[in-house]
Amino acid sequence: DVLMDAISLIAKEIPVFVLLTGPSRGYVIKRLKEMNVPHAHYYVDDYEEMVRYYRALDLYLMTSREEGGPLCIPESMATGIPIVATDAGMAPDMIRNGENGFMARSEDFETLANHVLSVHEDAALRDSLIREAAKTVQEYDWFDISMRYYKEVYSPLLDTLG
C-alpha cells in the first residue's frame, strides 16, 4: 500500500513504468491496473539475471515497513541505480539521506514520492547519489569486512594470547 500510494503521487507528475520481479505481486498489479500505470512482472529464478533487471531501472523504490535486509539497497548501489527507501532493515545503516540515496519513515509515502521526483528532476543530484552510493557499497565488500573484523577483533585477541 505504501508503494502504491507513493506511485499514485509520482504518476501525477511524471510518466511511470513499474518493473516488478519476484513472487506473485497480485495486490500491486491490481492497484497498478486500477491506476492505469504501465508495468511488467517477471519471476526471476536465476539470481545472476537480476543485474539485467536493475540495469533497466531509473530508480529503485523500496517501501517496506520491516526488512531482514533488504538486499535491494546494496544491489542498487552496486549497479548504479539511485535508491529511495523507507527506514526499514539496513537502510539507516547504509543510506545517508540526500548523499547516497534518500530515506523516509516507513509509512511516509508523500516524502518517498517527493524524493523520487527530486532524483528524477535533478541530473546532478542523481549523478552525485550514484557516485556516493558506489563508494558506500564498497564498504560492504565481504573481503573488506573480514579484514576489518580481523584487525579490530581477532588480531588484538591473538596479541593478548602472545
Side-chain angles (χ1 to χ4, degrees):
D1 62 317
V2 176
L3 174 66
M4 295 296 90
D5 291 340
I7 288 174
S8 71
L9 294 178
I10 297 163
K12 291 177 184 175
E13 302 295 324
I14 60 174
V16 173
F17 183 92
V18 176
L19 175 61
L20 303 165
T21 60
S24 177
R25 303 284 188 226
Y27 169 79
V28 173
I29 292 169
K30 180 180 180 223
R31 288 275 315 268
L32 290 169
K33 287 178 182 177
E34 290 170 358
M35 295 187 307
N36 292 317
V37 172
H39 60 279
H41 176 235
Y42 300 96
Y43 182 79
V44 182
D45 54 0
D46 181 0
Y47 186 74
E48 291 182 11
E49 287 187 33
M50 284 303 297
V51 172
R52 193 173 112 213
Y53 291 94
Y54 275 100
R55 296 285 185 196
L57 301 176
D58 293 319
L59 180 136
Y60 196 107
L61 179 57
M62 192 280 291
T63 60
S64 300
R65 286 183 177 87
E66 294 181 12
E67 275 290 347
L71 283 177
C72 68
I73 295 173
E75 290 172 346
S76 293
M77 290 179 167
T79 54
I81 305 305
I83 185 149
V84 174
T86 54
D87 57 358
M90 72 170 82
D93 297 324
M94 291 192 77
I95 297 175
R96 292 183 308 277
N97 204 28
E99 291 181 35
N100 62 0
F102 279 103
M103 194 168 41
R105 290 169 103 50
S106 65
E107 304 274 336
D108 191 353
F109 65 91
E110 292 166 334
T111 298
L112 290 167
N114 288 331
H115 287 325
V116 169
L117 294 171
S118 295
V119 173
H120 173 77
E121 294 166 1
D122 189 338
L125 172 62
R126 186 172 49 255
D127 292 344
S128 176
L129 294 173
I130 291 168
R131 269 193 315 278
E132 290 304 312
K135 292 175 190 174
T136 299
V137 78
Q138 290 176 7
E139 298 168 15
Y140 291 84
D141 178 86
W142 281 112
F143 179 78
D144 293 341
I145 289 172
S146 66
M147 291 308 295
R148 195 174 90 219
Y149 272 88
Y150 175 76
K151 289 176 187 172
E152 294 175 11
V153 178
Y154 299 112
S155 183
L157 288 172
L158 292 172
D159 288 345
T160 62
L161 296 174

PDB file of all heavy atoms in Angstrom, residues 6 9-10 61 84-85 97 102-105 107-118:
ATOM      1  N   ALA A   6       2.661   5.948  -2.972  1.00  0.00           N
ATOM      2  CA  ALA A   6       3.756   6.772  -3.497  1.00  0.00           C
ATOM      3  C   ALA A   6       3.677   6.849  -5.024  1.00  0.00           C
ATOM      4  O   ALA A   6       3.797   7.938  -5.605  1.00  0.00           O
ATOM      5  CB  ALA A   6       5.104   6.207  -3.060  1.00  0.00           C
ATOM      6  N   LEU A   9       1.107   9.291  -6.389  1.00  0.00           N
ATOM      7  CA  LEU A   9       1.550  10.688  -6.373  1.00  0.00           C
ATOM      8  C   LEU A   9       2.581  10.963  -7.469  1.00  0.00           C
ATOM      9  O   LEU A   9       2.518  11.991  -8.152  1.00  0.00           O
ATOM     10  CB  LEU A   9       2.140  11.046  -5.009  1.00  0.00           C
ATOM     11  CG  LEU A   9       1.185  11.047  -3.830  1.00  0.00           C
ATOM     12  CD1 LEU A   9       1.936  11.375  -2.540  1.00  0.00           C
ATOM     13  CD2 LEU A   9       0.048  12.033  -4.044  1.00  0.00           C
ATOM     14  N   ILE A  10       3.512  10.053  -7.632  1.00  0.00           N
ATOM     15  CA  ILE A  10       4.564  10.218  -8.634  1.00  0.00           C
ATOM     16  C   ILE A  10       3.964  10.262 -10.035  1.00  0.00           C
ATOM     17  O   ILE A  10       4.326  11.111 -10.861  1.00  0.00           O
ATOM     18  CB  ILE A  10       5.605   9.086  -8.522  1.00  0.00           C
ATOM     19  CG1 ILE A  10       6.301   9.128  -7.161  1.00  0.00           C
ATOM     20  CG2 ILE A  10       6.620   9.162  -9.656  1.00  0.00           C
ATOM     21  CD1 ILE A  10       7.025   7.847  -6.783  1.00  0.00           C
ATOM     22  N   LEU A  61      12.683   1.962  -5.776  1.00  0.00           N
ATOM     23  CA  LEU A  61      11.850   2.460  -4.686  1.00  0.00           C
ATOM     24  C   LEU A  61      11.520   1.296  -3.762  1.00  0.00           C
ATOM     25  O   LEU A  61      10.800   0.375  -4.141  1.00  0.00           O
ATOM     26  CB  LEU A  61      10.579   3.095  -5.251  1.00  0.00           C
ATOM     27  CG  LEU A  61       9.561   3.650  -4.254  1.00  0.00           C
ATOM     28  CD1 LEU A  61      10.191   4.700  -3.349  1.00  0.00           C
ATOM     29  CD2 LEU A  61       8.374   4.237  -5.008  1.00  0.00           C
ATOM     30  N   VAL A  84      15.601   5.109  -3.284  1.00  0.00           N
ATOM     31  CA  VAL A  84      14.742   5.832  -2.351  1.00  0.00           C
ATOM     32  C   VAL A  84      14.076   4.741  -1.528  1.00  0.00           C
ATOM     33  O   VAL A  84      13.470   3.827  -2.083  1.00  0.00           O
ATOM     34  CB  VAL A  84      13.702   6.700  -3.079  1.00  0.00           C
ATOM     35  CG1 VAL A  84      12.728   7.315  -2.090  1.00  0.00           C
ATOM     36  CG2 VAL A  84      14.392   7.782  -3.907  1.00  0.00           C
ATOM     37  N   ALA A  85      14.211   4.822  -0.207  1.00  0.00           N
ATOM     38  CA  ALA A  85      13.766   3.710   0.635  1.00  0.00           C
ATOM     39  C   ALA A  85      13.136   4.192   1.929  1.00  0.00           C
ATOM     40  O   ALA A  85      13.369   5.312   2.375  1.00  0.00           O
ATOM     41  CB  ALA A  85      14.971   2.818   0.970  1.00  0.00           C
ATOM     42  N   ASN A  97      20.930  10.020   4.014  1.00  0.00           N
ATOM     43  CA  ASN A  97      19.843  10.732   3.345  1.00  0.00           C
ATOM     44  C   ASN A  97      20.342  11.960   2.581  1.00  0.00           C
ATOM     45  O   ASN A  97      20.924  12.867   3.155  1.00  0.00           O
ATOM     46  CB  ASN A  97      18.779  11.133   4.374  1.00  0.00           C
ATOM     47  CG  ASN A  97      17.431  11.334   3.747  1.00  0.00           C
ATOM     48  OD1 ASN A  97      17.104  10.742   2.730  1.00  0.00           O
ATOM     49  ND2 ASN A  97      16.629  12.176   4.355  1.00  0.00           N
ATOM     50  N   PHE A 102      18.030   8.307  -0.719  1.00  0.00           N
ATOM     51  CA  PHE A 102      17.065   9.033   0.099  1.00  0.00           C
ATOM     52  C   PHE A 102      16.291   8.041   0.946  1.00  0.00           C
ATOM     53  O   PHE A 102      16.071   6.896   0.543  1.00  0.00           O
ATOM     54  CB  PHE A 102      16.086   9.831  -0.764  1.00  0.00           C
ATOM     55  CG  PHE A 102      16.640  11.137  -1.229  1.00  0.00           C
ATOM     56  CD1 PHE A 102      17.084  11.284  -2.532  1.00  0.00           C
ATOM     57  CD2 PHE A 102      16.726  12.218  -0.374  1.00  0.00           C
ATOM     58  CE1 PHE A 102      17.601  12.492  -2.978  1.00  0.00           C
ATOM     59  CE2 PHE A 102      17.240  13.430  -0.800  1.00  0.00           C
ATOM     60  CZ  PHE A 102      17.678  13.569  -2.114  1.00  0.00           C
ATOM     61  N   MET A 103      15.864   8.513   2.113  1.00  0.00           N
ATOM     62  CA  MET A 103      15.138   7.657   3.034  1.00  0.00           C
ATOM     63  C   MET A 103      13.996   8.450   3.666  1.00  0.00           C
ATOM     64  O   MET A 103      14.099   9.659   3.856  1.00  0.00           O
ATOM     65  CB  MET A 103      16.112   7.165   4.109  1.00  0.00           C
ATOM     66  CG  MET A 103      15.626   6.028   4.927  1.00  0.00           C
ATOM     67  SD  MET A 103      16.954   5.286   5.940  1.00  0.00           S
ATOM     68  CE  MET A 103      17.859   6.677   6.549  1.00  0.00           C
ATOM     69  N   ALA A 104      12.924   7.721   3.975  1.00  0.00           N
ATOM     70  CA  ALA A 104      11.772   8.311   4.663  1.00  0.00           C
ATOM     71  C   ALA A 104      11.254   7.308   5.680  1.00  0.00           C
ATOM     72  O   ALA A 104      11.571   6.119   5.615  1.00  0.00           O
ATOM     73  CB  ALA A 104      10.675   8.651   3.656  1.00  0.00           C
ATOM     74  N   ARG A 105      10.439   7.777   6.591  1.00  0.00           N
ATOM     75  CA  ARG A 105       9.807   6.880   7.558  1.00  0.00           C
ATOM     76  C   ARG A 105       8.931   5.881   6.805  1.00  0.00           C
ATOM     77  O   ARG A 105       8.426   6.169   5.734  1.00  0.00           O
ATOM     78  CB  ARG A 105       8.995   7.674   8.565  1.00  0.00           C
ATOM     79  CG  ARG A 105       9.874   8.494   9.520  1.00  0.00           C
ATOM     80  CD  ARG A 105       9.066   9.468  10.316  1.00  0.00           C
ATOM     81  NE  ARG A 105       8.750   9.205  11.688  1.00  0.00           N
ATOM     82  CZ  ARG A 105       9.563   8.844  12.659  1.00  0.00           C
ATOM     83  NH1 ARG A 105      10.807   8.589  12.399  1.00  0.00           N
ATOM     84  NH2 ARG A 105       9.153   8.700  13.898  1.00  0.00           N
ATOM     85  N   GLU A 107       5.937   4.740   6.742  1.00  0.00           N
ATOM     86  CA  GLU A 107       4.571   4.991   6.261  1.00  0.00           C
ATOM     87  C   GLU A 107       4.469   6.272   5.430  1.00  0.00           C
ATOM     88  O   GLU A 107       3.406   6.591   4.918  1.00  0.00           O
ATOM     89  CB  GLU A 107       3.608   5.100   7.453  1.00  0.00           C
ATOM     90  CG  GLU A 107       3.617   3.913   8.367  1.00  0.00           C
ATOM     91  CD  GLU A 107       2.681   2.814   7.912  1.00  0.00           C
ATOM     92  OE1 GLU A 107       1.728   3.104   7.182  1.00  0.00           O
ATOM     93  OE2 GLU A 107       2.919   1.660   8.304  1.00  0.00           O
ATOM     94  N   ASP A 108       5.551   6.999   5.288  1.00  0.00           N
ATOM     95  CA  ASP A 108       5.531   8.334   4.705  1.00  0.00           C
ATOM     96  C   ASP A 108       5.658   8.296   3.184  1.00  0.00           C
ATOM     97  O   ASP A 108       6.691   8.653   2.620  1.00  0.00           O
ATOM     98  CB  ASP A 108       6.632   9.178   5.341  1.00  0.00           C
ATOM     99  CG  ASP A 108       6.527  10.646   4.992  1.00  0.00           C
ATOM    100  OD1 ASP A 108       5.676  11.011   4.146  1.00  0.00           O
ATOM    101  OD2 ASP A 108       7.318  11.430   5.546  1.00  0.00           O
ATOM    102  N   PHE A 109       4.590   7.906   2.515  1.00  0.00           N
ATOM    103  CA  PHE A 109       4.602   7.784   1.060  1.00  0.00           C
ATOM    104  C   PHE A 109       4.769   9.138   0.365  1.00  0.00           C
ATOM    105  O   PHE A 109       5.297   9.216  -0.747  1.00  0.00           O
ATOM    106  CB  PHE A 109       3.353   7.053   0.551  1.00  0.00           C
ATOM    107  CG  PHE A 109       2.063   7.781   0.783  1.00  0.00           C
ATOM    108  CD1 PHE A 109       1.556   8.648  -0.165  1.00  0.00           C
ATOM    109  CD2 PHE A 109       1.345   7.576   1.956  1.00  0.00           C
ATOM    110  CE1 PHE A 109       0.373   9.317   0.041  1.00  0.00           C
ATOM    111  CE2 PHE A 109       0.149   8.237   2.178  1.00  0.00           C
ATOM    112  CZ  PHE A 109      -0.340   9.122   1.216  1.00  0.00           C
ATOM    113  N   GLU A 110       4.344  10.208   1.010  1.00  0.00           N
ATOM    114  CA  GLU A 110       4.488  11.535   0.402  1.00  0.00           C
ATOM    115  C   GLU A 110       5.953  11.939   0.299  1.00  0.00           C
ATOM    116  O   GLU A 110       6.400  12.440  -0.733  1.00  0.00           O
ATOM    117  CB  GLU A 110       3.691  12.570   1.192  1.00  0.00           C
ATOM    118  CG  GLU A 110       2.197  12.359   1.073  1.00  0.00           C
ATOM    119  CD  GLU A 110       1.392  13.149   2.099  1.00  0.00           C
ATOM    120  OE1 GLU A 110       1.935  13.461   3.185  1.00  0.00           O
ATOM    121  OE2 GLU A 110       0.223  13.433   1.805  1.00  0.00           O
ATOM    122  N   THR A 111       6.715  11.715   1.363  1.00  0.00           N
ATOM    123  CA  THR A 111       8.149  12.025   1.322  1.00  0.00           C
ATOM    124  C   THR A 111       8.859  11.118   0.333  1.00  0.00           C
ATOM    125  O   THR A 111       9.735  11.574  -0.418  1.00  0.00           O
ATOM    126  CB  THR A 111       8.769  11.914   2.732  1.00  0.00           C
ATOM    127  OG1 THR A 111       8.129  12.869   3.584  1.00  0.00           O
ATOM    128  CG2 THR A 111      10.260  12.183   2.707  1.00  0.00           C
ATOM    129  N   LEU A 112       8.493   9.837   0.303  1.00  0.00           N
ATOM    130  CA  LEU A 112       9.077   8.932  -0.685  1.00  0.00           C
ATOM    131  C   LEU A 112       8.840   9.459  -2.097  1.00  0.00           C
ATOM    132  O   LEU A 112       9.768   9.527  -2.913  1.00  0.00           O
ATOM    133  CB  LEU A 112       8.481   7.523  -0.551  1.00  0.00           C
ATOM    134  CG  LEU A 112       8.869   6.733   0.691  1.00  0.00           C
ATOM    135  CD1 LEU A 112       7.964   5.522   0.853  1.00  0.00           C
ATOM    136  CD2 LEU A 112      10.330   6.310   0.629  1.00  0.00           C
ATOM    137  N   ALA A 113       7.607   9.851  -2.385  1.00  0.00           N
ATOM    138  CA  ALA A 113       7.271  10.374  -3.716  1.00  0.00           C
ATOM    139  C   ALA A 113       8.061  11.630  -4.025  1.00  0.00           C
ATOM    140  O   ALA A 113       8.595  11.794  -5.132  1.00  0.00           O
ATOM    141  CB  ALA A 113       5.767  10.639  -3.818  1.00  0.00           C
ATOM    142  N   ASN A 114       8.178  12.528  -3.058  1.00  0.00           N
ATOM    143  CA  ASN A 114       8.942  13.761  -3.271  1.00  0.00           C
ATOM    144  C   ASN A 114      10.417  13.476  -3.535  1.00  0.00           C
ATOM    145  O   ASN A 114      11.039  14.131  -4.373  1.00  0.00           O
ATOM    146  CB  ASN A 114       8.782  14.709  -2.082  1.00  0.00           C
ATOM    147  CG  ASN A 114       7.404  15.326  -2.030  1.00  0.00           C
ATOM    148  OD1 ASN A 114       6.746  15.519  -3.052  1.00  0.00           O
ATOM    149  ND2 ASN A 114       6.951  15.646  -0.830  1.00  0.00           N
ATOM    150  N   HIS A 115      10.970  12.504  -2.836  1.00  0.00           N
ATOM    151  CA  HIS A 115      12.365  12.118  -3.087  1.00  0.00           C
ATOM    152  C   HIS A 115      12.526  11.565  -4.498  1.00  0.00           C
ATOM    153  O   HIS A 115      13.488  11.901  -5.197  1.00  0.00           O
ATOM    154  CB  HIS A 115      12.836  11.083  -2.069  1.00  0.00           C
ATOM    155  CG  HIS A 115      13.082  11.620  -0.697  1.00  0.00           C
ATOM    156  ND1 HIS A 115      13.576  12.879  -0.434  1.00  0.00           N
ATOM    157  CD2 HIS A 115      12.904  11.044   0.512  1.00  0.00           C
ATOM    158  CE1 HIS A 115      13.699  13.057   0.861  1.00  0.00           C
ATOM    159  NE2 HIS A 115      13.291  11.954   1.470  1.00  0.00           N
ATOM    160  N   VAL A 116      11.605  10.726  -4.930  1.00  0.00           N
ATOM    161  CA  VAL A 116      11.663  10.177  -6.292  1.00  0.00           C
ATOM    162  C   VAL A 116      11.636  11.311  -7.309  1.00  0.00           C
ATOM    163  O   VAL A 116      12.428  11.339  -8.258  1.00  0.00           O
ATOM    164  CB  VAL A 116      10.508   9.182  -6.547  1.00  0.00           C
ATOM    165  CG1 VAL A 116      10.402   8.828  -8.026  1.00  0.00           C
ATOM    166  CG2 VAL A 116      10.695   7.920  -5.708  1.00  0.00           C
ATOM    167  N   LEU A 117      10.730  12.247  -7.125  1.00  0.00           N
ATOM    168  CA  LEU A 117      10.624  13.371  -8.055  1.00  0.00           C
ATOM    169  C   LEU A 117      11.894  14.216  -8.049  1.00  0.00           C
ATOM    170  O   LEU A 117      12.342  14.673  -9.114  1.00  0.00           O
ATOM    171  CB  LEU A 117       9.391  14.209  -7.727  1.00  0.00           C
ATOM    172  CG  LEU A 117       8.050  13.494  -7.950  1.00  0.00           C
ATOM    173  CD1 LEU A 117       6.903  14.320  -7.385  1.00  0.00           C
ATOM    174  CD2 LEU A 117       7.831  13.160  -9.420  1.00  0.00           C
ATOM    175  N   SER A 118      12.504  14.416  -6.895  1.00  0.00           N
ATOM    176  CA  SER A 118      13.761  15.168  -6.818  1.00  0.00           C
ATOM    177  C   SER A 118      14.862  14.482  -7.613  1.00  0.00           C
ATOM    178  O   SER A 118      15.606  15.137  -8.352  1.00  0.00           O
ATOM    179  CB  SER A 118      14.215  15.318  -5.366  1.00  0.00           C
ATOM    180  OG  SER A 118      13.319  16.097  -4.634  1.00  0.00           O
TER     181      SER A 118
END
